[in-house]
Amino acid sequence: MSSNLSIRQAVGLAVGTAGAAAASLGYAPLALGADAAGPSPAAAPDNTLDEVVVTGSRIRRVDAETASPVFVLDSQAIQESGIASVGELMSRIPSIGGNATNPSVNNGGGFGESCTELRGLDCKRTLVLVDGRRIGLVGTTSDATDVNQIPLPLIDRVEVLKEGAGAIYGSDAIGGVVNFITRKDTDGLEINADYGRTSKNDGAHHDVSLLFGTSTDKWSFMVGGDIQKQDAVSAGNRAFSKYALYLYGGTTGVTKGGSSRVPTGRIYANPLGLLGANGKPCGSLTRIAGAAGSALTDYRCFQAPGDLYNYQPLNLILTPTERTSVFSKVNYKINDDVEAYSTVTATHTHSGYQIAPLPFDSLADNVVLSKDSVYNPFGTSFGGASGLNPNFTLRLSSLGNRQSDTSSDSAVFNGGVKGKLGLSDWTWDMNLSYSRLDQHAVVSGYFLNSLLNNALGPSFLDSSGTPQCGTSVATEIPGCIPVNFFNPTTPSQVAALKAISANYNTENVYTYKAAELDLNGKVIDLPAGTVQAATGFSYDDRRQVATADAIVQALPPLYLDCQLSQETCTGNTIGGYNSKQVFGELFVPILKDLPGARALNADLGIRYSNYSLFGSATKGDAKLEYRPVKDLLIRGTFSQVFRVPTISDIAGPPTNTSVTFNDPCTNLTSAQLAANPNLSKACAGVAPNTGFKEPNGQITGLNESSPNLKPETGHVSTMGFVYDPEFVPNLSIETDYWKYYIDGLITLLDSNYSMQQCVATGSPTFCNLIHRYASGPNAGLVQVFQNPQFNLGSLNTDGVDVTLKYQLKNTFTGSWQFGLDWTHTLTYLNDPAPGAALQEIAGSYNRQFGNYAKDRAMGTIGWAMHGADALLTVRYLAPITLFNPSVTGVTTNPTTGVSTPYPDLKIPSYVYIDLTLGYTFPTKTRVQVGIQNLTDKQPPLLYQNNVTNANTDVQ
């Protein structure tokens, strides 16, 4: 039995907190693991080549290099990196970008999920496999596979197929495929532990895992478990995130701003005619700090940005996570020709988000502050969904922070029987899969509307001078305590608010069942080799049920009114569908060992799919491998791809959200309306030449599913070469050009993007999504902006991947390994809808699409000698541009009324450096120390105008 005690530590947050040193014990072979494609420096030569199935094909082959570009990370590379989670591991691969969910997403996160987004094409367009089989589970936050549900100790290697593969794998394999290959044939006991924290003395994490395996001639058995804990990191503990920073003028004019919902309240009325800094009557008042709020003299003009509420210190830049996983893997040889196998994993994750106290809005929350309340000094009512009363907003700090307590429980079974077909060279594999994910959330920090409306309604003083709800003793409301929103911070008011506070529950259950029969074998011998084939039949069924407490149920179409605050309003949904599929693949050797053609092979695939909701589809692919000489492989592929909508796409619950909104109607003038008639559609209800402005940088958005969605379709092509020059041993160069086209995109529209398209084109597709108050004191203000799912437009993206690998073995300074993986995006062209303006995303950051740096690269230098080893990792992101990144969108000259866009914000290139040092003792005990973010590089500021969390791109 072998033992393995590891305290592997790598410290510092990927979002650019501070680096710190740490220590660890663990076993790893004396090898350098930048890529599994080449042997480790200390590995003994092995000339035995076994047939394997490489990701991207169903054919069993001995070739290490095929037509498909595949990036590989082996267990050695994973261990030496010091990475503590699968999500963090995947985020470092240069071909991954965009807007992926991870535990740093606080506002809009909370389940501890991480998803993988190849080519920046959305996580839903990256297929995740374990041992070549779908997991089938879809998380609540990302609506994609949560790779953190895969236990890290179970992984032997990760194969990333950097091309589409619709014919080979079916739906979702558009951006590519990530295949996690699990370990096998483990013999003995392994114990690993790691601990780390940031140099700010927070964000502690630890991990303990056990793995035991044994085997005989008939069977092999492996069982293990993993316990991880990651502490939260507060946004208030980092200089880049402790203030809500807003950009009002390109690279200058940074303001410490925040929300207009403030603890002292904001009253959108000015009965005293108080004058603002500009000498004109101000549009809103706020209570003077420390004043009782019972007299009009207790109020002054609201002043922005000085009075804005800084919510950032109460947010998190890393959500807490506790994760426990158990797993087992069994193989049993029934006889020489038949083998049974199974893999079972179960994972429990406990997490949650934390955001600032509830921002109350009397209009949006449909709550009326009665003019007849004993606490109302203004003699006028405020709020109500009709929009006929002035608005009143407040930050309800007395309720405490809004936060969630979430749990995710996943169970995945994959098993079957495989064997040989009689005396033939064919093999068969009959497989069954079952997966279930239960996600539960308890969300707190809210109030019951019905009780609050009573508490803010008419009230009177009884004979003892105590406020009571109602207009008189005869109409007194039993059990109701009047609430004073004009000064809710006194101890009695805090108690009154707590009495009407409430939390709510949500539940999401996702199940996936599949059965598949695969056949693989030789067809016929040709002069150039043997024709091989793979075929199979599959059936799968997926179901999702999303439920929430009755107090947050709201009515369509806008889901604005429920028993709690508007931002909680939603609806129950249920959905599901099944599919039947048939696939085939044929590998044909065409030429071999001829002058100028050492090898020429073709690989052809086809898949027929029939979905219960969407009908049928047939997709094919073709691949070509040409080796003119021994050390050069020229390759090309073409694949038709498609993505079937997820259940959340077609039947997900509606979600109210806060959208940081750049309103083009700010300071609207008659000259602007005359120059662009589309503004009249975008700015309905806005009176020109009145200095109109949304009082808050955030508006209410409504994210919605759509039952009428159709599958996305497209095609992917690649062309490149692999060069292993004989005159430079252990050097490998890979270069591939790739091009993707996707049509009928399933897209959750972004409010800012939709508004830009409305102004540019006047299309009702976009202009009908915005709902403003048509009249009254709130005319022109946004009531809600719908963000539905659409089959809309197309995407074109292309670029180049370059991979370099070089080894120097057994020199007098040790063994060295150098690696570079670089992705360059040439174009990322979004065509949002017919007639809409084309948008080039490459080289920019966009709230809807995420970070699309044109160049992403990861370089590694590994060293090993006499049991000691080191790994230096350098990650590079090219400069990006934020186009017109202001709150107001344009700056208007008050004299001429001429508006010009603010300048673009240029973000420079970024380099992050990680270092690990290790030593493996003869007892197979390993010690490893490491630092992530060695130079303490802080993340770039993108400002709250453009992001949701932490002033930066946390994705």
Side-chain angles (χ1 to χ4, degrees):
M1 185 192 316
S2 64
S3 65
N4 180 356
L5 178 64
S6 163
I7 305 176
R8 184 191 63 227
Q9 181 182 33
V11 185
L13 289 177
V15 292
T17 59
S24 128
L25 300 173
Y27 164 71
L30 180 57
L32 298 170
D35 196 304
S40 62
D46 184 357
N47 296 321
T48 302
L49 294 176
D50 295 326
E51 285 189 344
V52 296
V53 177
V54 178
T55 303
S57 173
R58 302 270 185 166
I59 305 289
R60 301 183 66 87
R61 298 177 58 187
V62 299
D63 304 85
E65 297 165 344
T66 69
S68 298
V70 178
F71 176 84
V72 182
L73 283 171
D74 66 4
S75 57
Q76 180 68 40
I78 296 170
Q79 184 175 35
E80 289 187 352
S81 71
I83 295 301
S85 70
V86 177
E88 186 181 354
L89 173 72
M90 300 308 299
S91 69
R92 295 173 168 229
I93 298 174
S95 55
I96 289 174
N99 217 16
T101 295
N102 63 59
S104 289
V105 178
N106 175 56
N107 193 347
F111 280 93
E113 296 178 14
S114 289
C115 66
T116 299
E117 189 170 338
L118 282 167
R119 305 296 187 203
L121 291 172
D122 195 292
C123 294
K124 301 176 186 180
R125 300 186 185 106
T126 296
L127 178 61
V128 175
L129 307 174
V130 175
D131 291 332
R133 307 287 183 182
R134 291 173 182 262
I135 303 176
L137 296 180
V138 173
T140 297
T141 303
S142 61
D143 197 23
T145 299
D146 174 18
V147 295
N148 285 337
Q149 299 283 338
I150 304 169
L152 193 61
L154 185 60
I155 298 172
D156 178 67
R157 67 184 186 276
V158 184
E159 297 180 352
V160 180
L161 176 65
K162 298 186 290 184
E163 65 172 0
I168 303 301
Y169 296 110
S171 174
D172 308 336
I174 291 182
V177 179
V178 179
N179 191 9
F180 295 91
I181 310 299
T182 60
R183 299 176 64 176
K184 61 181 180 179
D185 299 333
T186 299
D187 191 11
L189 175 67
E190 295 184 7
I191 303 174
N192 288 274
D194 91 26
Y195 177 81
R197 63 193 306 117
T198 76
S199 63
K200 299 294 185 182
N201 202 31
D202 60 5
H205 71 267
H206 63 74
D207 182 8
V208 178
S209 66
L210 289 88
L211 181 67
F212 173 77
T214 186
S215 62
T216 68
D217 292 339
K218 295 283 290 183
W219 64 285
S220 63
F221 171 76
M222 181 174 65
V223 64
D226 186 33
I227 299 175
Q228 300 177 5
K229 184 177 180 181
Q230 171 68 65
D231 289 349
V233 176
S234 170
N237 290 345
R238 297 294 184 272
F240 67 85
S241 60
K242 66 181 179 180
Y243 297 107
L245 300 178
Y246 287 82
L247 184 67
Y248 290 89
T251 56
T252 61
V254 177
T255 302
K256 293 180 180 179
S259 171
S260 65
R261 279 84 159 182
V262 298
T264 51
R266 189 169 181 184
I267 298 93
Y268 290 86
N270 184 2
L272 299 180
L274 297 178
L275 301 182
N278 59 3
K280 298 180 181 180
C282 52
S284 61
L285 307 178
T286 190
R287 177 171 55 85
I288 298 170
S294 57
L296 294 179
T297 53
D298 291 342
Y299 297 86
R300 61 170 174 80
C301 286
F302 184 91
Q303 300 171 352
D307 285 334
L308 297 175
Y309 175 74
N310 181 27
Y311 47 81
Q312 275 298 110
L314 301 172
N315 289 345
L316 302 176
I317 55 174
L318 187 62
T319 56
T321 306
E322 296 179 25
R323 183 175 291 109
T324 302
S325 300
V326 293
F327 49 87
S328 69
K329 189 171 182 179
V330 180
N331 286 68
Y332 178 71
K333 292 183 178 179
I334 299 173
N335 54 46
D336 290 342
D337 294 329
V338 181
E339 179 180 353
Y341 62 91
S342 73
T343 302
V344 179
T345 63
T347 302
H348 172 79
T349 303
H350 181 212
S351 187
Y353 64 77
Q354 174 185 293
I355 53 180
L358 182 67
F360 168 77
D361 186 307
S362 62
L363 291 180
D365 292 324
N366 192 22
V367 174
V368 176
L369 284 73
S370 174
K371 63 182 178 61
D372 297 320
S373 169
V374 296
Y375 296 120
N376 189 342
F378 289 91
T380 185
S381 295
F382 296 93
S386 67
L388 299 179
N389 298 321
N391 199 11
F392 175 95
T393 63
L394 176 69
R395 180 68 58 165
L396 283 169
S397 54
S398 300
L399 279 179
N401 294 328
R402 289 166 290 165
Q403 56 190 22
S404 69
D405 188 299
T406 69
S407 64
S408 298
D409 291 281
S410 67
V412 179
F413 167 82
N414 181 272
V417 182
K418 60 184 179 181
K420 300 177 182 178
L421 279 176
L423 299 177
S424 73
D425 293 321
W426 280 72
T427 61
W428 58 272
D429 188 340
M430 185 177 297
N431 180 269
L432 296 175
S433 297
Y434 175 81
S435 305
R436 177 177 172 129
L437 175 64
D438 292 73
Q439 292 189 306
H440 179 78
V442 181
V443 187
S444 58
Y446 296 92
F447 55 80
L448 280 166
N449 275 3
S450 57
L451 298 181
L452 184 64
N453 264 306
N454 288 338
L456 295 177
S459 57
F460 67 97
L461 298 177
D462 64 12
S463 58
S464 65
T466 303
Q468 302 291 344
C469 298
T471 57
S472 65
V473 175
T475 60
E476 182 179 342
I477 302 174
C480 176
I481 302 174
V483 170
N484 180 12
F485 265 17
F486 297 92
N487 187 2
T489 59
T490 63
S492 62
Q493 288 300 307
V494 172
L497 279 172
K498 293 291 185 182
I500 62 174
S501 65
N503 57 30
Y504 68 96
N505 296 266
T506 65
E507 186 82 30
N508 184 74
V509 179
Y510 195 100
T511 58
Y512 173 80
K513 296 178 285 186
E516 185 169 325
L517 173 63
D518 297 337
L519 302 170
N520 198 313
K522 298 178 180 179
V523 179
I524 189 174
D525 290 328
L526 298 178
T530 302
V531 177
Q532 294 175 265
T535 186
F537 315 87
S538 67
Y539 171 85
D540 64 61
D541 181 273
R542 58 199 77 200
R543 303 286 156 181
Q544 186 172 10
V545 179
T547 58
D549 286 344
I551 56 176
V552 292
Q553 300 294 320
L555 295 175
L558 299 182
Y559 296 92
L560 295 177
D561 191 13
C562 60
Q563 296 181 50
L564 298 189
S565 175
Q566 183 191 81
E567 70 176 55
T568 70
C569 296
T570 186
N572 291 343
T573 59
I574 183 171
Y577 54 84
N578 60 63
S579 74
K580 305 175 184 69
Q581 305 192 35
V582 180
F583 66 88
E585 183 181 0
L586 196 65
F587 174 76
V588 182
I590 302 173
L591 300 175
K592 184 178 181 181
D593 296 332
L594 296 176
R598 186 177 181 89
L600 177 64
N601 304 319
D603 191 307
L604 306 174
I606 191 168
R607 175 178 292 263
Y608 171 81
S609 305
N610 187 279
Y611 286 85
S612 58
L613 288 182
F614 315 107
S616 61
T618 301
K619 302 298 177 184
D621 69 18
K623 304 175 183 179
L624 196 65
E625 305 167 4
Y626 172 51
R627 194 178 287 274
V629 292
K630 177 181 178 181
D631 50 8
L632 177 63
L633 171 67
I634 300 173
R635 60 192 183 187
T637 69
F638 176 84
S639 179
Q640 295 177 312
V641 293
F642 67 108
R643 180 175 85 83
V644 174
T646 66
I647 299 174
S648 291
D649 287 336
I650 60 174
T655 304
N656 273 278
T657 184
S658 294
V659 177
T660 302
F661 186 58
N662 300 334
D663 194 346
C665 307
T666 298
N667 297 318
L668 184 69
T669 66
S670 299
Q672 289 175 297
L673 284 171
N676 185 356
N678 294 332
L679 283 170
S680 63
K681 303 175 183 178
C683 305
V686 176
N689 308 316
T690 59
F692 170 84
K693 182 180 180 180
E694 284 281 345
N696 188 24
Q698 292 184 324
I699 62 169
T700 298
L702 181 67
N703 296 345
E704 298 177 284
S705 59
S706 174
N708 300 316
L709 294 173
K710 300 298 181 184
E712 301 172 341
T713 59
H715 51 79
V716 180
S717 56
T718 69
M719 183 170 56
F721 66 87
V722 181
Y723 184 43
D724 303 310
E726 287 188 297
F727 58 88
V728 185
N730 302 313
L731 172 65
S732 178
I733 303 170
E734 297 183 27
T735 300
D736 291 284
Y737 169 79
W738 45 268
K739 183 176 179 60
Y740 292 72
Y741 172 76
I742 313 170
D743 194 26
L745 290 172
I746 302 171
T747 304
L748 181 68
L749 294 181
D750 173 74
S751 298
N752 289 286
Y753 181 76
S754 297
M755 177 56 80
Q756 293 168 8
Q757 296 301 320
C758 173
V759 173
T761 69
S763 168
T765 300
F766 299 104
C767 294
N768 289 348
L769 299 176
I770 185 168
H771 302 266
R772 297 181 186 265
Y773 291 103
S775 60
N778 303 294
L781 299 185
V782 176
Q783 182 186 23
V784 65
F785 207 125
Q786 292 178 274
N787 301 317
Q789 298 275 10
F790 263 94
N791 283 109
L792 199 63
S794 61
L795 274 178
N796 276 281
T797 182
D798 68 337
V800 177
D801 290 336
V802 176
T803 299
L804 304 176
K805 292 173 288 186
Y806 181 59
Q807 293 182 353
L808 287 172
K809 300 180 180 180
N810 303 319
T811 73
F812 72 94
T813 61
S815 294
W816 296 84
Q817 182 165 298
F818 305 89
L820 172 67
D821 194 68
W822 169 51
T823 292
H824 175 69
T825 302
L826 293 166
T827 62
Y828 192 106
L829 193 62
N830 178 47
D831 184 357
L838 295 178
Q839 188 176 23
E840 176 58 78
I841 307 297
S844 71
Y845 176 89
N846 177 291
R847 176 189 288 270
Q848 180 169 352
F849 293 97
N851 188 322
Y852 285 84
K854 283 194 171 184
D855 293 282
R856 295 172 179 263
M858 180 175 66
T860 57
I861 301 176
W863 168 84
M865 186 177 185
H866 302 312
D869 59 78
L871 180 65
L872 180 71
T873 303
V874 179
R875 291 173 288 144
Y876 170 79
L877 284 85
I880 55 174
T881 300
L882 278 74
F883 297 107
N884 194 18
S886 66
V887 169
T888 58
V890 294
T891 176
T892 303
N893 186 311
T895 302
T896 64
V898 176
S899 297
T900 56
Y902 281 114
D904 299 330
L905 176 64
K906 304 291 185 179
I907 303 297
S909 62
Y910 262 67
V911 174
Y912 293 101
I913 302 175
D914 304 330
L915 175 66
T916 59
L917 306 172
Y919 184 78
T920 303
F921 294 91
T923 59
K924 295 186 178 180
T925 298
R926 175 175 172 79
V927 179
Q928 182 170 301
V929 297
I931 304 176
Q932 291 182 14
N933 192 18
L934 181 66
T935 59
D936 192 17
K937 185 73 172 180
Q938 300 298 292
L941 292 178
L942 307 186
Y943 304 99
Q944 285 302 111
N945 323 44
N946 307 292
V947 299
T948 304
N949 300 271
N951 299 314
T952 192
D953 175 21
V954 298
Q955 277 87 356

